Amino acid sequence: MESLHRWTDSGSIFTLEHFRQQPPREFKPDDLLERQAVRESNARSYPRRIPLALKEAHGLYVLDTRGQVFMDCLAGAGTLALGHNHPVTIDAMRATLDSGLPLHTLDLTTPVKDAFVEALFAALPPAFAAQARIQFCGPTGADGIEAALKLAKIATGRKGIFCFSGGYHGMTQGALSLMGNLGPKQLPGSLMADVQVLPYPYDYRCPFNIGGEASIDVGLSYIEQLLTDPESGVLPPAAVVVEVVQGEGGVIPAPARWLQGVRKLTQQHGVALIIDEVQTGLGRTGRMFAFEHAGIEPDILVLSKAIGGGLPLSVMVYREALDLWKPGAHAGTFRGNQMAMAAGTATLRYIQEQGLASHAEAMGERLMTQLRQIQRDYPCIGQVRGRGLMVGVEVVSTAAQGARVAPADGVMAKAIQQQCLREGVIIELGGRHGAVVRFLPPLTIQAAEIDLLVEKFQFALGKACLDSELRG
Ligand code: PLP
């Protein structure tokens, strides 16, 4: 793969060497940030932890208005599969702009849309693609989830939904009802009814306190009992909604055997299996789609983020047999974003041509191996886990004695995040108490960049630990 880092037209340097040579970043007052704090909603989130005003970006790197370069391991919350402003996506967008194509077409078709659907179907497992339909949704992942819930309810004639602790599916009413994190669910009004939250196979903090293979059996048997016991108190659901690797929930990969079990149970009981690949889709986990790790197929697949090549796009691909809703049953104005489709097609093709899924798998392994080496010297790292370039470090308290697993330490995780930022590394937190440091770099990240990323992380970790000791 060619190096993506270069001088930009404006003269900024985006190279590993330049990044390496930057002194620790300073966070002096900045007009843009001050105006943002005054003008924007109290619900704003990322700027509170990542107080940067961004000016330029290329590949893995972003430049802020103070002239500081950062490695962006958040990458639009996993959206930028090819990194910032990749020539392949920029060229596709430019070609669309120059072609005279209408940029917005509702759900009318165009050659660009047709090419996008062809490219996406070609990337899906052939047996699934052969009997699939696609619905273009409003441009967010949450809207794809809302569409999936609606379709499953219409197709099955049932109203209940099963979802999982730690799950994240977006912030709209239906999606929020499925969320694990209680914070955003604290609303005065009601959420969607008939939602059953089930234990997710989070082995490190096993919901049954047993862990390992036995916990997979217990988890599956619990779901089976809900579906079969006439006294379970729970009506058969329309759908089970699941992330193959929980992202916001703290980078928790579900074991293949558990996923296979869920697939079998949903099939046996006429329940639609909705796989949410909004974050995992398009190579991120080392396969084009994360469900391929388990050798299963969904009934409904929801994709967004990377599928638009950095622009807003959301689609739902589902088994033809479920296509029982009426014309207009799910609509939305912004479903015809041609630039996003062009950028998405280019991204899909580039990921395939360059073998970026395998590259992500190798880079993820490299990252996790090095993080596990660091773990030996830092007891505050409870676990390093992930799949492909979706990697998490769970930070734990070293003060507590005797517990089977040390308690999550969100305060320390935040301190590490802030030190990383000073070292020029943007990472986000997730999981219980925000104690999981998450790495979601572009799939194009190179081995030397992984090595430097780990070096920076280790330095930041050391500083955060020292500060914590000094504070007592
Ligand atoms: N599903 C998953 C797995 C996600 O990670 C996200 C967002 O992070 C969503 C759904 C919601 O997507 P959006 O923020 O575009 O609504």
Side-chain angles (χ1 to χ4, degrees):
M1 205 184 322
E2 79 202 89
S3 167
L4 298 174
H5 312 307
R6 58 170 170 87
W7 287 86
T8 65
D9 295 343
S10 61
S12 309
I13 314 168
F14 287 91
T15 62
L16 185 61
E17 269 324 301
H18 180 67
F19 174 81
R20 196 192 294 277
Q21 284 155 19
Q22 288 250 312
R25 280 70 182 165
E26 290 181 39
F27 299 96
K28 290 179 256 164
D30 179 296
D31 286 355
L32 270 76
L33 291 173
E34 279 167 18
R35 275 201 295 283
Q36 181 184 38
V38 172
R39 292 277 184 233
E40 287 191 26
S41 148
N42 199 38
R44 70 191 182 283
S45 54
Y46 293 109
R48 296 181 190 277
R49 299 179 294 280
I50 305 170
L52 302 179
L54 301 179
K55 200 169 106 177
E56 237 180 284
H58 190 75
L60 174 64
Y61 303 100
V62 293
L63 177 74
D64 79 348
T65 45
R66 303 161 177 127
Q68 306 176 135
V69 180
F70 296 81
M71 270 187 178
D72 183 5
C73 294
L74 177 56
T79 300
L80 302 164
L82 307 187
H84 291 275
N85 294 326
H86 191 286
V88 158
T89 53
I90 297 292
D91 289 351
M93 290 181 210
R94 262 200 199 116
T96 311
L97 280 176
D98 293 344
S99 69
L101 188 81
L103 292 180
H104 173 240
T105 65
L106 299 166
D107 62 351
L108 303 177
T109 198
T110 69
V112 164
K113 185 180 194 179
D114 188 61
F116 171 80
V117 174
E118 288 301 307
L120 175 57
F121 275 48
L124 288 165
F128 180 62
Q131 298 181 24
R133 294 277 173 147
I134 185 167
Q135 164 77 20
F136 284 79
C137 304
T140 69
D143 189 67
I145 292 294
E146 298 290 342
L149 298 178
K150 190 190 283 179
L151 177 68
K153 289 180 186 185
I154 292 171
T156 61
R158 299 175 183 167
K159 56 185 182 172
I161 303 292
F162 284 6
C163 59
F164 295 94
S165 300
Y168 186 94
H169 305 282
M171 287 282 188
T172 51
Q173 185 84 351
L176 187 59
S177 314
L178 314 178
M179 185 182 287
N181 189 346
L182 298 181
K185 291 179 99 165
Q186 316 262 343
L187 302 176
S190 56
L191 287 165
M192 184 174 75
D194 304 308
V195 172
Q196 188 71 32
V197 184
L198 305 173
Y200 191 78
Y202 180 13
D203 194 59
Y204 186 63
R205 296 188 189 282
C206 174
F208 311 110
N209 210 20
I210 45 180
E213 291 296 313
S215 75
I216 297 177
D217 295 328
V218 174
L220 289 173
S221 128
Y222 180 60
I223 301 173
E224 183 169 23
Q225 181 267 336
L226 285 186
L227 292 171
T228 53
D229 177 4
E231 293 274 343
S232 74
V234 181
L235 290 168
V240 170
V241 185
V242 68
E243 290 159 272
V244 174
V245 182
Q246 284 189 341
E248 308 301 307
V251 194
I252 310 174
R257 192 164 75 77
W258 182 83
L259 286 163
Q260 288 155 3
V262 171
R263 175 64 286 190
K264 197 165 154 206
L265 286 170
T266 46
Q267 242 151 13
Q268 281 168 349
H269 296 279
V271 179
L273 179 62
I274 301 174
I275 298 194
D276 178 349
E277 294 239 18
V278 167
Q279 194 164 129
T280 48
L282 298 209
R284 163 92 24 214
T285 67
R287 298 281 186 285
M288 194 51 125
F289 303 99
F291 63 76
E292 295 176 89
H293 287 284
I296 59 165
E297 281 172 11
D299 295 310
I300 303 177
L301 170 66
V302 181
L303 298 166
S304 187
K305 294 197 193 272
I307 198 79
L311 296 181
L313 191 66
S314 167
V315 297
M316 168 174 71
V317 187
Y318 55 94
R319 280 197 308 110
E320 209 164 40
L322 297 175
D323 201 26
L324 300 173
W325 50 3
K326 299 251 177 334
H330 196 74
T333 305
F334 287 106
R335 291 177 298 143
N337 187 335
Q338 300 301 302
M339 293 256 279
M341 292 176 204
T345 307
T347 301
L348 261 165
R349 289 191 180 139
Y350 191 79
I351 289 174
Q352 285 179 312
E353 283 159 16
Q354 300 287 324
L356 282 187
S358 313
H359 178 73
E361 187 161 46
M363 291 301 105
E365 280 309 318
R366 189 179 186 100
L367 177 56
M368 283 190 277
T369 304
Q370 295 187 28
L371 290 171
R372 286 186 184 122
Q373 274 157 10
I374 293 176
Q375 183 184 14
R376 292 192 206 130
D377 299 327
Y378 288 90
C380 69
I381 298 187
Q383 194 180 44
V384 174
R385 57 176 179 258
R387 195 159 283 164
L389 281 171
M390 210 168 159
V391 172
V393 171
E394 180 150 350
V395 180
V396 296
S397 165
T398 47
Q401 304 284 325
R404 191 178 79 87
V405 181
D409 190 346
V411 174
M412 183 55 133
K414 202 165 170 190
I416 297 168
Q417 181 191 36
Q418 293 313 305
Q419 287 296 347
C420 280
L421 206 56
R422 281 184 56 74
E423 291 308 309
V425 174
I426 301 174
I427 41 173
E428 187 42 328
L429 305 178
R432 271 71 172 175
H433 311 288
V436 179
V437 175
R438 304 185 55 205
F439 296 86
L440 268 178
L443 309 188
T444 46
I445 193 168
Q446 301 293 305
E449 290 169 328
I450 294 277
D451 299 349
L452 184 58
L453 171 62
V454 175
E455 203 181 290
K456 295 277 177 191
F457 175 76
Q458 183 169 12
F459 188 76
L461 177 64
K463 284 194 86 172
C465 290
L466 193 65
D467 285 354
S468 156
E469 271 168 36
L470 292 177
R471 276 198 311 272

